[in-house]
Amino acid sequence: MAEKIRTSRTTELEFGGPVGAFLLIFVMPGTVFYLLLTCRTKEASVLQLPGPLPPFESLWNPVALMILLAWFFLQALLYILPMGKVSEGTPLRDNSRLKYRINAFHAMMVSSLLAGVALVLKLPLSYVYDHFLQLAVGSAFLALVLSIFLYMKSLTAPMSALAPGGNSGNPLYDFFIGHELNPRIGSFDLKYFCELRPGLIGWCFINLCFLMKEIELQGSPSLSMILVCGFQAVYVIDALWHEEAILTTMDIVHDGFGFMLAFGDLCWVPFTYSLQGYFLVTHPQKLGVTAATGIVLLNTLGYIIFRGSNSQKNAFRRNPADPQVAGLETIPTATGKRLLVSGWWGLVRHPNYLGDLIMALAWSLPCGLSHILPYFYVIYFTVLLIHREARDEHQCMKKYGLAWQEYCRRVPYRIFPYIY
Protein backbone atom coordinates (compact mmCIF):
# COMPACT_ATOMS: atom_id res chain seq x y z
CA MET A 1 0.00 0.00 0.00
CA ALA A 2 2.82 2.42 0.90
CA GLU A 3 4.52 1.73 -2.42
CA LYS A 4 1.26 2.49 -4.24
CA ILE A 5 1.04 5.86 -2.52
CA ARG A 6 4.60 6.74 -3.41
CA THR A 7 4.14 5.97 -7.11
CA SER A 8 0.61 7.35 -7.62
CA ARG A 9 0.06 9.83 -10.43
CA THR A 10 -1.64 13.20 -10.06
CA THR A 11 -5.10 12.90 -11.60
CA GLU A 12 -6.73 16.14 -10.41
CA LEU A 13 -5.13 18.91 -12.45
CA GLU A 14 -5.50 22.56 -11.49
CA PHE A 15 -5.38 25.85 -13.43
CA GLY A 16 -6.87 24.22 -16.53
CA GLY A 17 -4.27 21.47 -16.76
CA PRO A 18 -1.34 21.67 -19.25
CA VAL A 19 -3.05 24.33 -21.40
CA GLY A 20 -3.68 26.58 -18.41
CA ALA A 21 -0.14 26.01 -17.15
CA PHE A 22 1.29 26.96 -20.54
CA LEU A 23 -0.74 30.17 -20.66
CA LEU A 24 0.15 31.16 -17.10
CA ILE A 25 3.87 30.84 -17.82
CA PHE A 26 3.37 33.86 -20.12
CA VAL A 27 0.45 35.58 -18.38
CA MET A 28 2.23 35.90 -15.01
CA PRO A 29 5.34 37.76 -16.31
CA GLY A 30 3.17 39.69 -18.76
CA THR A 31 0.97 40.94 -15.92
CA VAL A 32 3.98 42.12 -13.91
CA PHE A 33 5.46 44.05 -16.83
CA TYR A 34 2.11 45.52 -17.88
CA LEU A 35 1.48 46.83 -14.36
CA LEU A 36 4.97 48.32 -14.03
CA LEU A 37 4.83 49.96 -17.46
CA THR A 38 1.35 51.35 -16.74
CA CYS A 39 2.37 52.65 -13.33
CA ARG A 40 5.06 54.87 -14.86
CA THR A 41 2.61 56.58 -17.24
CA LYS A 42 0.94 59.88 -16.34
CA GLU A 43 -2.56 58.40 -16.46
CA ALA A 44 -1.63 55.12 -14.72
CA SER A 45 -4.77 53.60 -16.23
CA VAL A 46 -4.96 49.83 -16.56
CA LEU A 47 -7.59 50.33 -19.28
CA GLN A 48 -5.14 52.11 -21.59
CA LEU A 49 -2.14 50.54 -23.25
CA PRO A 50 1.03 52.05 -21.75
CA GLY A 51 2.42 52.88 -25.19
CA PRO A 52 5.02 51.06 -27.31
CA LEU A 53 7.08 48.44 -25.57
CA PRO A 54 10.58 49.56 -24.58
CA PRO A 55 13.35 48.07 -26.70
CA PHE A 56 14.91 44.93 -25.27
CA GLU A 57 18.24 46.70 -24.82
CA SER A 58 16.60 49.03 -22.28
CA LEU A 59 15.09 46.14 -20.34
CA TRP A 60 18.19 43.98 -19.93
CA ASN A 61 20.76 45.44 -17.56
CA PRO A 62 23.74 43.33 -16.40
CA VAL A 63 24.22 45.63 -13.40
CA ALA A 64 20.62 45.04 -12.29
CA LEU A 65 21.14 41.30 -12.68
CA MET A 66 24.32 41.46 -10.56
CA ILE A 67 22.42 43.34 -7.83
CA LEU A 68 19.74 40.65 -7.81
CA LEU A 69 22.33 37.87 -7.62
CA ALA A 70 24.15 39.66 -4.79
CA TRP A 71 20.87 39.98 -2.88
CA PHE A 72 19.99 36.34 -3.51
CA PHE A 73 23.38 35.07 -2.33
CA LEU A 74 23.36 37.38 0.70
CA GLN A 75 20.05 35.87 1.81
CA ALA A 76 21.36 32.36 1.06
CA LEU A 77 24.41 33.04 3.23
CA LEU A 78 22.23 34.31 6.09
CA TYR A 79 20.02 31.22 5.72
CA ILE A 80 22.89 28.76 6.22
CA LEU A 81 24.51 30.63 9.11
CA PRO A 82 23.99 28.89 12.48
CA MET A 83 21.52 31.50 13.74
CA GLY A 84 18.16 30.64 15.25
CA LYS A 85 16.81 27.19 16.00
CA VAL A 86 16.21 24.06 13.93
CA SER A 87 12.67 22.65 13.65
CA GLU A 88 11.19 19.57 12.03
CA GLY A 89 8.58 19.72 9.31
CA THR A 90 5.44 17.59 9.08
CA PRO A 91 5.90 13.84 8.38
CA LEU A 92 6.44 13.03 4.71
CA ARG A 93 4.93 10.06 2.88
CA ASP A 94 7.90 7.89 3.86
CA ASN A 95 7.36 9.03 7.50
CA SER A 96 10.64 11.01 7.54
CA ARG A 97 10.72 14.62 8.75
CA LEU A 98 12.94 17.26 7.22
CA LYS A 99 14.80 19.74 9.40
CA TYR A 100 14.52 23.49 8.80
CA ARG A 101 16.61 26.33 10.19
CA ILE A 102 14.31 29.02 11.60
CA ASN A 103 16.27 32.25 11.23
CA ALA A 104 14.40 34.44 8.73
CA PHE A 105 13.84 37.13 11.38
CA HIS A 106 17.58 37.16 12.07
CA ALA A 107 18.18 37.55 8.34
CA MET A 108 15.81 40.52 8.32
CA MET A 109 17.67 42.17 11.18
CA VAL A 110 21.06 41.73 9.48
CA SER A 111 19.62 43.00 6.20
CA SER A 112 18.16 46.03 8.02
CA LEU A 113 21.56 46.77 9.53
CA LEU A 114 23.12 46.68 6.07
CA ALA A 115 20.37 48.96 4.77
CA GLY A 116 21.15 51.37 7.60
CA VAL A 117 24.82 51.37 6.59
CA ALA A 118 23.76 52.11 2.99
CA LEU A 119 21.73 55.10 4.23
CA VAL A 120 24.63 56.41 6.33
CA LEU A 121 26.98 56.08 3.35
CA LYS A 122 24.34 57.83 1.19
CA LEU A 123 24.38 55.10 -1.41
CA PRO A 124 21.96 55.82 -4.29
CA LEU A 125 19.06 53.60 -3.18
CA SER A 126 16.83 55.40 -5.69
CA TYR A 127 18.62 53.25 -8.31
CA VAL A 128 16.04 50.56 -7.53
CA TYR A 129 13.18 52.84 -8.57
CA ASP A 130 14.99 54.16 -11.63
CA HIS A 131 15.76 50.61 -12.87
CA PHE A 132 12.73 48.81 -11.45
CA LEU A 133 11.56 47.34 -14.75
CA GLN A 134 15.09 46.09 -15.50
CA LEU A 135 15.25 44.51 -12.06
CA ALA A 136 11.88 42.83 -12.70
CA VAL A 137 13.13 41.42 -16.02
CA GLY A 138 16.26 40.12 -14.31
CA SER A 139 14.21 38.57 -11.52
CA ALA A 140 11.92 36.84 -14.03
CA PHE A 141 14.99 35.49 -15.83
CA LEU A 142 16.41 34.10 -12.56
CA ALA A 143 13.05 32.51 -11.73
CA LEU A 144 12.96 30.82 -15.14
CA VAL A 145 16.53 29.50 -14.78
CA LEU A 146 15.73 28.22 -11.30
CA SER A 147 12.53 26.55 -12.56
CA ILE A 148 14.41 24.72 -15.33
CA PHE A 149 17.01 23.57 -12.80
CA LEU A 150 14.26 22.38 -10.42
CA TYR A 151 12.54 20.33 -13.09
CA MET A 152 15.77 18.75 -14.32
CA LYS A 153 16.70 17.91 -10.73
CA SER A 154 13.27 16.38 -10.09
CA LEU A 155 13.81 13.84 -12.88
CA THR A 156 16.42 12.11 -10.71
CA ALA A 157 14.42 12.34 -7.46
CA PRO A 158 12.90 9.17 -5.96
CA MET A 159 9.16 8.72 -6.46
CA SER A 160 8.52 9.24 -2.75
CA ALA A 161 10.01 12.75 -3.03
CA LEU A 162 7.62 13.94 -5.75
CA ALA A 163 4.81 16.39 -5.02
CA PRO A 164 1.30 14.94 -4.66
CA GLY A 165 -0.03 17.62 -7.00
CA GLY A 166 2.86 17.74 -9.48
CA ASN A 167 3.27 14.15 -10.63
CA SER A 168 0.88 14.13 -13.58
CA GLY A 169 3.31 12.73 -16.13
CA ASN A 170 2.86 15.82 -18.31
CA PRO A 171 6.24 17.64 -18.36
CA LEU A 172 4.76 21.10 -18.97
CA TYR A 173 2.21 20.83 -16.17
CA ASP A 174 4.72 19.36 -13.71
CA PHE A 175 7.27 22.05 -14.66
CA PHE A 176 4.70 24.73 -13.80
CA ILE A 177 3.23 23.22 -10.62
CA GLY A 178 6.47 21.70 -9.35
CA HIS A 179 7.47 18.07 -9.75
CA GLU A 180 9.52 17.63 -6.56
CA LEU A 181 7.98 18.47 -3.20
CA ASN A 182 11.05 19.55 -1.21
CA PRO A 183 14.01 20.03 -3.59
CA ARG A 184 17.24 20.36 -1.65
CA ILE A 185 20.93 20.78 -2.32
CA GLY A 186 22.37 18.99 0.67
CA SER A 187 20.48 20.49 3.62
CA PHE A 188 19.66 23.71 1.71
CA ASP A 189 15.90 23.62 1.07
CA LEU A 190 15.28 25.66 -2.09
CA LYS A 191 11.50 26.01 -1.71
CA TYR A 192 11.61 26.93 1.95
CA PHE A 193 14.39 29.45 1.32
CA CYS A 194 12.54 31.19 -1.51
CA GLU A 195 9.22 31.21 0.31
CA LEU A 196 10.15 33.94 2.81
CA ARG A 197 13.58 35.35 2.15
CA PRO A 198 14.70 36.90 -1.18
CA GLY A 199 11.27 38.15 -2.27
CA LEU A 200 9.52 38.90 1.01
CA ILE A 201 12.47 40.61 2.69
CA GLY A 202 13.26 42.22 -0.66
CA TRP A 203 9.73 43.68 -0.75
CA CYS A 204 10.51 45.70 2.39
CA PHE A 205 13.75 47.07 1.02
CA ILE A 206 12.18 47.91 -2.33
CA ASN A 207 9.70 50.06 -0.37
CA LEU A 208 12.60 51.74 1.42
CA CYS A 209 14.13 52.60 -1.95
CA PHE A 210 10.82 54.07 -3.11
CA LEU A 211 10.64 56.19 0.03
CA MET A 212 14.15 57.49 -0.64
CA LYS A 213 13.20 58.28 -4.25
CA GLU A 214 10.19 60.25 -3.01
CA ILE A 215 12.44 62.22 -0.65
CA GLU A 216 14.79 62.88 -3.57
CA LEU A 217 11.92 64.26 -5.68
CA GLN A 218 9.82 66.03 -3.04
CA GLY A 219 12.24 66.77 -0.20
CA SER A 220 10.33 64.71 2.36
CA PRO A 221 8.28 61.51 2.49
CA SER A 222 4.50 61.75 2.22
CA LEU A 223 2.17 60.43 4.88
CA SER A 224 0.73 58.06 2.28
CA MET A 225 4.16 56.56 1.56
CA ILE A 226 4.97 56.26 5.27
CA LEU A 227 1.72 54.37 5.92
CA VAL A 228 2.22 51.99 2.97
CA CYS A 229 5.82 51.24 3.90
CA GLY A 230 4.99 50.91 7.59
CA PHE A 231 1.99 48.61 7.11
CA GLN A 232 3.84 46.32 4.74
CA ALA A 233 6.96 46.23 6.92
CA VAL A 234 4.85 45.11 9.90
CA TYR A 235 3.28 42.38 7.73
CA VAL A 236 6.66 41.08 6.54
CA ILE A 237 8.23 41.20 10.02
CA ASP A 238 5.22 39.33 11.42
CA ALA A 239 5.64 36.59 8.79
CA LEU A 240 9.35 36.27 9.56
CA TRP A 241 8.81 36.26 13.34
CA HIS A 242 6.28 33.43 12.96
CA GLU A 243 8.38 31.62 10.35
CA GLU A 244 7.92 28.19 11.92
CA ALA A 245 4.17 28.30 11.19
CA ILE A 246 4.89 28.08 7.45
CA LEU A 247 5.97 24.45 7.88
CA THR A 248 2.31 23.36 8.06
CA THR A 249 1.05 25.43 5.11
CA MET A 250 -0.13 24.04 1.78
CA ASP A 251 2.88 25.55 -0.02
CA ILE A 252 5.30 23.45 2.05
CA VAL A 253 3.22 20.33 2.74
CA HIS A 254 1.46 19.79 -0.59
CA ASP A 255 2.72 21.97 -3.46
CA GLY A 256 5.83 21.13 -5.41
CA PHE A 257 8.43 23.75 -6.24
CA GLY A 258 8.20 24.70 -9.88
CA PHE A 259 7.69 27.77 -12.03
CA MET A 260 4.51 28.84 -10.24
CA LEU A 261 6.13 29.24 -6.83
CA ALA A 262 9.60 30.19 -8.10
CA PHE A 263 8.26 33.07 -10.19
CA GLY A 264 5.78 33.97 -7.46
CA ASP A 265 8.45 34.13 -4.75
CA LEU A 266 11.22 35.84 -6.73
CA CYS A 267 9.34 38.16 -9.08
CA TRP A 268 5.59 38.40 -8.46
CA VAL A 269 5.80 39.13 -4.72
CA PRO A 270 8.49 41.84 -4.68
CA PHE A 271 7.42 43.54 -7.92
CA THR A 272 3.62 43.55 -7.58
CA TYR A 273 3.16 43.64 -3.81
CA SER A 274 5.22 46.87 -3.77
CA LEU A 275 3.02 48.46 -6.44
CA GLN A 276 1.46 51.00 -4.04
CA GLY A 277 4.85 52.50 -3.19
CA TYR A 278 5.88 52.48 -6.85
CA PHE A 279 2.67 54.30 -7.73
CA LEU A 280 3.07 56.95 -5.03
CA VAL A 281 6.51 58.07 -6.20
CA THR A 282 5.15 59.67 -9.39
CA HIS A 283 1.47 59.96 -8.35
CA PRO A 284 1.68 61.55 -4.89
CA GLN A 285 -1.49 61.64 -2.82
CA LYS A 286 -2.33 64.09 -0.04
CA LEU A 287 -3.73 62.32 3.01
CA GLY A 288 -5.41 64.13 5.89
CA VAL A 289 -5.06 63.16 9.54
CA THR A 290 -8.66 61.95 9.80
CA ALA A 291 -8.37 59.70 6.74
CA ALA A 292 -4.96 58.43 7.90
CA THR A 293 -6.38 57.58 11.34
CA GLY A 294 -9.24 55.63 9.76
CA ILE A 295 -6.82 53.70 7.53
CA VAL A 296 -4.58 52.88 10.50
CA LEU A 297 -7.59 51.59 12.45
CA LEU A 298 -8.68 49.48 9.47
CA ASN A 299 -5.21 47.96 9.14
CA THR A 300 -5.13 47.32 12.89
CA LEU A 301 -8.46 45.50 12.71
CA GLY A 302 -7.19 43.34 9.87
CA TYR A 303 -3.98 42.56 11.72
CA ILE A 304 -5.83 41.60 14.92
CA ILE A 305 -8.02 39.14 12.98
CA PHE A 306 -5.08 37.82 10.94
CA ARG A 307 -2.66 37.35 13.81
CA GLY A 308 -5.26 36.22 16.33
CA SER A 309 -6.65 33.49 14.08
CA ASN A 310 -3.23 32.29 12.90
CA SER A 311 -1.86 32.17 16.46
CA GLN A 312 -4.93 30.26 17.61
CA LYS A 313 -4.54 27.74 14.78
CA ASN A 314 -0.82 27.27 15.34
CA ALA A 315 -1.22 26.86 19.11
CA PHE A 316 -3.91 24.22 18.54
CA ARG A 317 -1.80 22.33 16.01
CA ARG A 318 1.21 22.27 18.31
CA ASN A 319 -0.67 21.32 21.46
CA PRO A 320 -4.48 21.03 21.68
CA ALA A 321 -4.13 21.06 25.48
CA ASP A 322 -2.49 24.49 25.44
CA PRO A 323 -4.38 26.79 27.86
CA GLN A 324 -4.85 29.29 25.03
CA VAL A 325 -7.03 26.85 23.08
CA ALA A 326 -7.99 24.10 25.54
CA GLY A 327 -11.42 25.64 26.20
CA LEU A 328 -12.38 25.94 22.52
CA GLU A 329 -15.07 23.68 21.08
CA THR A 330 -13.88 21.06 18.58
CA ILE A 331 -15.22 18.33 16.30
CA PRO A 332 -13.50 14.89 16.32
CA THR A 333 -12.45 13.36 12.98
CA ALA A 334 -11.73 9.82 11.82
CA THR A 335 -8.03 10.69 11.51
CA GLY A 336 -7.77 11.27 15.27
CA LYS A 337 -7.39 15.02 14.83
CA ARG A 338 -9.98 17.58 15.88
CA LEU A 339 -11.38 20.61 14.05
CA LEU A 340 -11.76 23.96 15.81
CA VAL A 341 -15.34 25.16 15.67
CA SER A 342 -15.22 28.13 18.03
CA GLY A 343 -13.03 31.14 18.64
CA TRP A 344 -11.84 32.80 15.44
CA TRP A 345 -12.43 29.56 13.54
CA GLY A 346 -16.08 29.54 14.53
CA LEU A 347 -16.56 32.95 12.86
CA VAL A 348 -15.65 31.86 9.32
CA ARG A 349 -13.68 28.91 7.96
CA HIS A 350 -10.70 31.11 7.07
CA PRO A 351 -10.58 34.13 9.40
CA ASN A 352 -6.88 34.58 8.60
CA TYR A 353 -7.83 35.21 4.96
CA LEU A 354 -10.41 37.79 6.10
CA GLY A 355 -7.76 39.64 8.12
CA ASP A 356 -5.33 39.46 5.19
CA LEU A 357 -7.83 41.07 2.84
CA ILE A 358 -8.74 43.86 5.28
CA MET A 359 -5.04 44.72 5.57
CA ALA A 360 -4.66 44.59 1.78
CA LEU A 361 -7.41 47.19 1.45
CA ALA A 362 -5.75 49.40 4.07
CA TRP A 363 -2.48 49.28 2.09
CA SER A 364 -4.25 50.53 -1.04
CA LEU A 365 -6.37 53.32 0.42
CA PRO A 366 -3.41 55.73 0.97
CA CYS A 367 -3.12 55.81 -2.84
CA GLY A 368 -6.51 57.54 -3.14
CA LEU A 369 -9.62 56.51 -5.02
CA SER A 370 -8.95 57.93 -8.49
CA HIS A 371 -6.91 54.97 -9.81
CA ILE A 372 -7.65 51.26 -9.72
CA LEU A 373 -4.03 50.25 -10.34
CA PRO A 374 -2.89 50.53 -6.68
CA TYR A 375 -5.81 48.25 -5.81
CA PHE A 376 -4.44 45.46 -7.96
CA TYR A 377 -3.03 43.76 -4.87
CA VAL A 378 -6.33 43.57 -3.00
CA ILE A 379 -8.20 42.46 -6.17
CA TYR A 380 -5.62 39.82 -7.01
CA PHE A 381 -5.38 38.68 -3.39
CA THR A 382 -9.15 38.25 -3.18
CA VAL A 383 -9.10 35.99 -6.23
CA LEU A 384 -6.03 34.13 -4.92
CA LEU A 385 -7.49 33.48 -1.48
CA ILE A 386 -10.88 32.41 -2.84
CA HIS A 387 -9.05 29.93 -5.09
CA ARG A 388 -6.82 28.80 -2.23
CA GLU A 389 -9.86 28.37 0.01
CA ALA A 390 -11.44 26.14 -2.63
CA ARG A 391 -8.25 24.03 -2.72
CA ASP A 392 -8.26 23.83 1.07
CA GLU A 393 -11.93 22.83 1.02
CA HIS A 394 -11.25 20.02 -1.44
CA GLN A 395 -8.27 18.68 0.52
CA CYS A 396 -10.13 18.84 3.86
CA MET A 397 -13.16 17.08 2.43
CA LYS A 398 -10.96 14.20 1.25
CA LYS A 399 -9.09 14.09 4.55
CA TYR A 400 -11.87 14.56 7.12
CA GLY A 401 -15.03 13.46 5.27
CA LEU A 402 -18.16 13.61 7.45
CA ALA A 403 -16.40 15.66 10.13
CA TRP A 404 -15.65 18.37 7.57
CA GLN A 405 -19.26 18.35 6.40
CA GLU A 406 -20.32 18.90 10.00
CA TYR A 407 -17.79 21.72 10.36
CA CYS A 408 -19.15 23.39 7.22
CA ARG A 409 -22.66 23.10 8.62
CA ARG A 410 -21.58 24.71 11.89
CA VAL A 411 -19.47 27.39 10.16
CA PRO A 412 -21.27 28.12 6.87
CA TYR A 413 -19.27 31.17 5.74
CA ARG A 414 -15.90 30.64 4.09
CA ILE A 415 -14.11 34.02 4.27
CA PHE A 416 -16.58 36.91 4.55
CA PRO A 417 -19.20 36.62 7.32
CA TYR A 418 -22.78 36.62 5.94
CA ILE A 419 -21.44 37.15 2.40
CA TYR A 420 -19.26 34.25 1.28
Side-chain angles (χ1 to χ4, degrees):
M1 181 63 180
E3 183 63 26
K4 182 179 179 180
I5 293 174
R6 285 196 294 269
T7 59
S8 61
R9 287 287 190 184
T10 303
T11 56
E12 298 176 350
L13 305 186
E14 301 184 73
F15 303 105
V19 173
F22 175 77
L23 293 175
L24 285 171
I25 289 173
F26 297 94
V27 168
M28 290 169 65
T31 300
V32 174
F33 302 139
Y34 181 79
L35 290 171
L36 298 186
L37 286 170
T38 300
C39 199
R40 290 293 286 267
T41 64
K42 182 178 179 181
E43 298 79 11
S45 173
V46 295
L47 302 180
Q48 297 179 15
L49 292 176
L53 291 175
F56 177 78
E57 295 77 14
S58 68
L59 296 178
W60 183 255
N61 186 329
V63 175
L65 183 62
M66 290 302 104
I67 290 173
L68 290 168
L69 287 172
W71 176 257
F72 190 90
F73 285 114
L74 168 65
Q75 296 305 319
L77 174 63
L78 295 176
Y79 174 57
I80 63 176
L81 289 179
M83 306 183 294
K85 65 177 182 179
V86 175
S87 293
E88 289 187 334
T90 58
L92 302 175
R93 284 178 291 176
D94 61 1
N95 292 319
S96 65
R97 294 167 72 114
L98 296 175
K99 295 184 183 296
Y100 297 88
R101 183 163 293 281
I102 309 298
N103 65 4
F105 184 79
H106 299 76
M108 178 67 170
M109 293 302 98
V110 174
S111 300
S112 299
L113 179 61
L114 294 175
V117 171
L119 290 173
V120 170
L121 296 177
K122 297 183 179 181
L123 297 182
L125 297 183
S126 58
Y127 177 95
V128 170
Y129 176 84
D130 296 334
H131 298 83
F132 201 50
L133 191 58
Q134 295 172 338
L135 288 165
V137 171
S139 183
F141 172 74
L142 292 179
L144 177 61
V145 171
L146 175 60
S147 303
I148 294 171
F149 169 78
L150 290 168
Y151 184 73
M152 297 302 293
K153 179 182 179 302
S154 71
L155 298 179
T156 63
M159 291 297 291
S160 60
L162 301 183
N167 188 26
S168 69
N170 183 285
L172 179 61
Y173 181 81
D174 293 344
F175 167 81
F176 176 77
I177 291 294
H179 196 35
E180 189 174 358
L181 181 60
N182 300 294
R184 289 189 163 203
I185 300 175
S187 62
F188 191 100
D189 192 294
L190 292 165
K191 179 171 69 171
Y192 182 71
F193 166 73
C194 290
E195 190 78 9
L196 284 181
R197 295 160 190 270
L200 207 65
I201 297 176
W203 172 18
C204 264
F205 291 99
I206 284 172
N207 279 345
L208 173 63
C209 295
F210 291 163
L211 186 144
M212 297 308 297
K213 182 65 178 182
E214 188 181 58
I215 293 174
E216 179 183 305
L217 293 175
Q218 301 181 22
S220 62
S222 66
L223 180 55
S224 294
M225 181 70 82
I226 291 171
L227 288 183
V228 167
C229 293
F231 290 159
Q232 295 180 353
V234 168
Y235 184 80
V236 170
I237 291 170
D238 177 88
L240 302 179
W241 182 259
H242 296 94
E243 176 185 10
E244 193 170 4
I246 201 176
L247 298 180
T248 60
T249 62
M250 181 179 290
D251 285 358
I252 300 297
V253 174
H254 180 269
D255 292 341
F257 193 35
F259 182 84
M260 180 178 72
L261 284 182
F263 183 84
D265 292 339
L266 300 182
C267 188
W268 185 275
V269 168
F271 292 95
T272 66
Y273 286 19
S274 59
L275 200 60
Q276 291 95 344
Y278 193 55
F279 172 84
L280 286 172
V281 172
T282 49
H283 302 84
Q285 304 291 317
K286 288 188 179 297
L287 193 63
V289 174
T290 301
T293 301
I295 294 171
V296 169
L297 291 175
L298 181 66
N299 189 74
T300 303
L301 172 64
Y303 181 76
I304 290 172
I305 296 172
F306 172 80
R307 177 41 48 210
S309 56
N310 272 327
S311 295
Q312 196 173 78
K313 174 186 67 175
N314 295 332
F316 184 76
R317 284 178 172 176
R318 286 196 304 268
N319 179 18
D322 189 311
Q324 298 180 56
V325 295
L328 297 177
E329 187 179 355
T330 61
I331 296 175
T333 72
T335 66
K337 296 184 178 180
R338 304 183 73 87
L339 301 174
L340 280 175
V341 75
S342 65
W344 289 110
W345 299 88
L347 175 66
V348 289
R349 295 180 211 166
H350 293 277
N352 52 340
Y353 292 178
L354 174 63
D356 232 336
L357 290 172
I358 291 173
M359 287 190 291
L361 177 60
W363 302 349
S364 302
L365 288 172
C367 297
L369 301 174
S370 59
H371 292 80
I372 195 172
L373 189 146
Y375 290 82
F376 170 79
Y377 177 81
V378 67
I379 295 169
Y380 151 75
F381 217 51
T382 300
V383 174
L384 172 72
L385 292 183
I386 288 175
H387 176 261
R388 182 178 287 262
E389 188 280 333
R391 295 179 72 198
D392 289 343
E393 184 90 5
H394 181 67
Q395 294 296 327
C396 289
M397 182 64 72
K398 290 199 302 183
K399 187 174 181 179
Y400 301 120
L402 293 176
W404 185 254
Q405 293 181 20
E406 174 61 16
Y407 174 68
C408 293
R409 186 188 69 80
R410 296 280 297 274
V411 186
Y413 298 103
R414 299 180 178 214
I415 300 176
F416 306 101
Y418 306 105
I419 299 175
Y420 175 75

